[in-house]
Amino acid sequence: MDITELTVHELQEKIKSKELTITEITKAYVEKINEKEKDIEAFVTPLTEDAISKAEEIQSKIEEGELTGELAGIPIGIKDNICTKGIKTTCSSKMLENFVSPYDATVMEKINNQNMINLGKLNMDEFAMGGSTEYSYFKKTKNPHNINKVPGGSSGGSAAAVAANMVPWALGSDTGGSIRQPASFCGVVGLKPTYGLVSRYGLVAFASSLDQIGPITKDVRDCAMLLNIIAGHDEKDTTSEDMPKKDYTKALKNDVKGLKIGVPKEFFGEGLNQEVKETLEKAIQEYKEMGAEIEEFSLDIAQYSLATYYIIACAEASSNLGRFDGIRYGYRTPEFKNLKELYKKSRSEGFGDEVKRRIILGTYVLSSGYYDAYYKKAQQVRTLVMNEFNKAFEKYDVILTPTSPTVAFDIGSKSDNPLEMYLADICTVSVNIAGLPAISIPVGKDKEGMPIGMQLIGNKFQEETILNAAYTIEMKQKEK
């Protein structure tokens, strides 16, 4: 038995039945990291030695009856833009290369309260800006299904680490598809929760009105379990919703009879890879056979969402990244003659090309002559996008689309063409604009064995509905 191939709920069973100890599980993951990291390059800061000593400590506490938590001793990986006290949080940028966070993000406090074991900080596109994890200052993460292909981004390190069995599950962040798209490329499950369900306190901000932390896991049950841990109101985050606590695992019923699924035809048109289309059509057929009501409809926002997203995201990035100035913390240029040169050189040397591109674009759309023409207009279109979704959810419980128009592409094939890279987000960005929940689940592979993901979008705070729809199709896939 390869311990690292087990899901978290399977690990829990083996811990309960005393088949496995926390120490054995952690050592198995550490060995896997040591074996695969040189090829996959998913970690910025591995914490393997700390993990083993913490595992031994937790195991002895469990044996003495001091610890009884369901998830005590379960390992996890953390995207490197989530603050971890006393551990580097670099955002995969030279700007924060040596930054050690003095506090924990709220999600980390929740993980630590469960006595879970942090195996390390995972690679990402710099400041979460990118769709391939090629824009990291430190390394390019590879796709475990084919190391010549990208794992997706920006949470590429998280998705690759889960797919390569280097961690049983991980936390990522999603601003325009950064959990769902790498989950699709790496053949794992990725959930972007409703905006405000999970605290953003301690998440290094890219675009504050779009960012959301979420789980990347091997299956849907694990996804629901990790969401149980991280969801909930936080007074330190003013955008956090005060919601009653839910147990998302109770939604996993393997039954979609009468579920109304809307399929927007705009997402199945030009630009969609033929094998992706055929695989999704099979999944739609399976839903029909299981009793779901499927209907094609028009969601006429896809063509506007991408432009709207990039204007809002870049504007907010330009504002949020203003704090990295070479004065307070982060990288400071060693040579400068005056204050202006200190700012200019620190930012020029500290930020990568993609981050600079987005800062410049964001500053442009916020400048006095262009604010109304671009940023204000984008916010107005954002309202239209929300209204379109609201209208659709009056009729449907779930909206089904591809997660990405293609499977994982070759490393280097799009990194020199930012526009082509941006177009890869076409299926995911509208969800962030509207603040909705969405999950990506693997539903097949292409001829080359690369995973294909399907996206299920729900109405606000209807995570149970999409988790159940995802769980039911996952059960159907396992029967094959």
Side-chain angles (χ1 to χ4, degrees):
M1 173 183 69
D2 183 347
I3 293 170
T4 64
E5 283 181 6
L6 300 173
T7 60
V8 172
H9 55 91
E10 287 167 342
L11 289 172
Q12 281 180 315
E13 291 300 317
K14 299 218 177 287
I15 293 165
K16 269 184 203 155
S17 65
K18 302 225 169 7
E19 274 182 71
L20 288 174
T21 66
I22 303 299
T23 315
E24 284 170 330
I25 291 166
T26 308
K27 279 183 174 166
Y29 278 104
V30 167
E31 278 169 26
K32 190 70 80 172
I33 291 167
N34 292 339
E35 174 198 332
K36 289 198 164 180
E37 173 58 16
K38 61 183 183 300
D39 296 323
I40 307 295
E41 298 192 285
F43 285 83
V44 174
T45 308
L47 300 168
T48 45
E49 284 176 22
D50 291 356
I52 290 173
S53 58
K54 192 171 178 191
E56 286 164 352
E57 186 189 317
I58 288 171
Q59 184 60 42
S60 67
K61 280 185 180 173
I62 288 172
E63 284 163 11
E64 286 160 25
E66 288 176 44
L67 271 185
T68 53
E70 288 271 300
L71 292 166
I74 296 289
I76 189 167
I78 307 293
K79 187 174 178 179
D80 207 16
N81 59 348
I82 296 170
C83 286
T84 40
K85 188 175 181 179
I87 299 165
K88 276 188 191 180
T89 300
T90 71
C91 291
S92 290
S93 176
K94 183 178 181 180
M95 184 59 84
L96 290 175
E97 186 176 6
N98 298 307
F99 174 67
V100 176
S101 175
Y103 71 99
D104 270 324
T106 297
V107 290
M108 281 315 298
E109 285 176 4
K110 292 182 173 192
I111 296 288
N112 295 335
N113 289 343
Q114 296 291 325
N115 289 294
M116 283 157 75
I117 296 168
N118 184 359
L119 284 171
K121 303 298 289 290
L122 296 159
N123 197 28
M124 55 187 277
D125 285 299
E126 185 183 2
F127 283 104
M129 298 180 194
S132 64
T133 315
E134 291 172 285
Y135 297 134
S136 164
Y137 171 65
F138 300 108
K139 52 180 71 169
K140 286 181 172 66
T141 300
K142 320 292 190 301
N143 191 313
H145 294 270
N146 179 343
I147 58 169
N148 297 314
K149 294 189 184 287
V150 301
S154 64
S155 308
S158 298
V162 174
N165 296 328
M166 293 154 88
V167 297
W169 55 8
L171 287 182
S173 70
D174 191 310
T175 308
S178 290
I179 285 173
R180 291 158 288 151
Q181 186 247 30
S184 173
F185 281 8
C186 292
V188 292
V189 176
L191 174 75
K192 181 252 167 216
T194 306
Y195 185 78
L197 183 67
V198 178
S199 171
R200 290 184 302 108
Y201 179 77
L203 173 70
V204 180
F206 161 13
S208 309
S209 74
L210 303 164
D211 298 340
Q212 192 66 100
I213 295 169
I216 295 177
T217 60
K218 288 180 186 176
D219 73 357
V220 178
R221 182 169 292 281
D222 280 2
C223 193
M225 283 163 53
L226 192 46
L227 186 62
N228 280 348
I229 304 300
I230 62 173
H233 180 61
D234 179 18
E235 288 175 357
K236 297 195 283 278
D237 175 5
T238 53
T239 60
S240 170
E241 289 280 342
D242 201 351
M243 300 275 300
K245 196 85 177 133
K246 294 178 182 176
D247 179 359
Y248 293 100
T249 58
K250 285 186 176 157
L252 311 178
K253 293 195 171 72
N254 194 10
D255 178 17
V256 288
K257 283 186 190 71
L259 187 79
K260 294 184 175 70
I261 300 177
V263 179
K265 56 177 186 275
E266 288 82 359
F267 286 79
F268 285 83
E270 196 185 338
L272 183 64
N273 171 288
Q274 192 57 33
E275 284 184 82
V276 172
K277 189 177 182 181
E278 285 166 13
T279 304
L280 261 67
E281 281 167 355
K282 276 184 202 153
I284 290 167
Q285 191 54 41
E286 284 170 353
Y287 271 129
K288 274 186 192 165
E289 288 163 12
M290 291 187 286
E293 295 169 25
I294 309 278
E295 189 176 292
E296 198 178 69
F297 76 109
S298 182
L299 190 66
D300 197 23
I301 49 156
Q303 55 183 323
Y304 309 116
S305 294
L306 205 62
T308 305
Y309 167 79
Y310 275 99
I311 289 170
I312 294 169
C314 293
E316 292 184 13
S318 154
S319 172
N320 278 325
L321 297 186
R323 70 192 72 172
F324 303 108
D325 53 12
I327 301 285
R328 286 164 283 193
Y329 58 93
Y331 174 80
R332 177 186 289 194
T333 185
E335 289 175 26
F336 56 94
K337 296 187 186 73
N338 52 41
L339 188 62
K340 190 177 177 184
E341 197 174 283
L342 166 64
Y343 284 150
K344 187 178 175 181
K345 286 180 77 176
S346 296
R347 289 170 70 80
S348 298
E349 293 162 17
F351 289 133
D353 289 347
E354 181 59 26
V355 175
K356 287 177 193 167
R357 208 171 359 251
R358 297 198 194 194
I359 290 172
I360 290 165
L361 183 58
T363 308
Y364 176 79
V365 300
L366 288 175
S367 58
S368 58
Y370 299 101
Y371 181 90
D372 285 357
Y374 292 107
Y375 186 70
K376 187 181 172 188
K377 184 71 75 187
Q379 291 291 13
Q380 288 167 336
V381 176
R382 181 182 208 162
T383 306
L384 296 177
V385 170
M386 288 176 177
N387 293 343
E388 279 288 315
F389 272 116
N390 289 339
K391 209 161 71 184
F393 283 119
E394 284 170 16
K395 205 170 178 188
Y396 308 110
D397 303 309
V398 172
I399 294 169
L400 185 155
T401 75
T403 309
S404 169
T406 65
V407 293
F409 45 87
D410 291 341
I411 290 170
S413 64
K414 292 187 181 182
S415 49
D416 294 335
N417 188 343
L419 271 181
E420 206 178 320
M421 188 81 85
Y422 297 167
L423 284 167
D425 295 338
I426 194 132
C427 301
T428 51
V429 292
S430 54
V431 170
N432 299 74
I433 291 169
L436 301 171
I439 191 168
S440 175
I441 50 163
V443 286
K445 291 184 175 179
D446 73 355
K447 289 189 193 77
E448 289 180 15
M450 296 310 292
I452 293 168
M454 175 174 75
Q455 177 174 237
L456 301 170
I457 305 166
N459 206 350
K460 282 190 178 174
F461 301 107
Q462 296 299 310
E463 274 76 4
E464 294 105 314
T465 310
I466 57 172
L467 281 164
N468 184 53
Y471 179 72
T472 308
I473 198 87
E474 183 182 79
M475 291 293 108
K476 184 79 175 166
Q477 299 273 323
K478 280 181 182 170
E479 287 170 19
K480 289 178 186 176

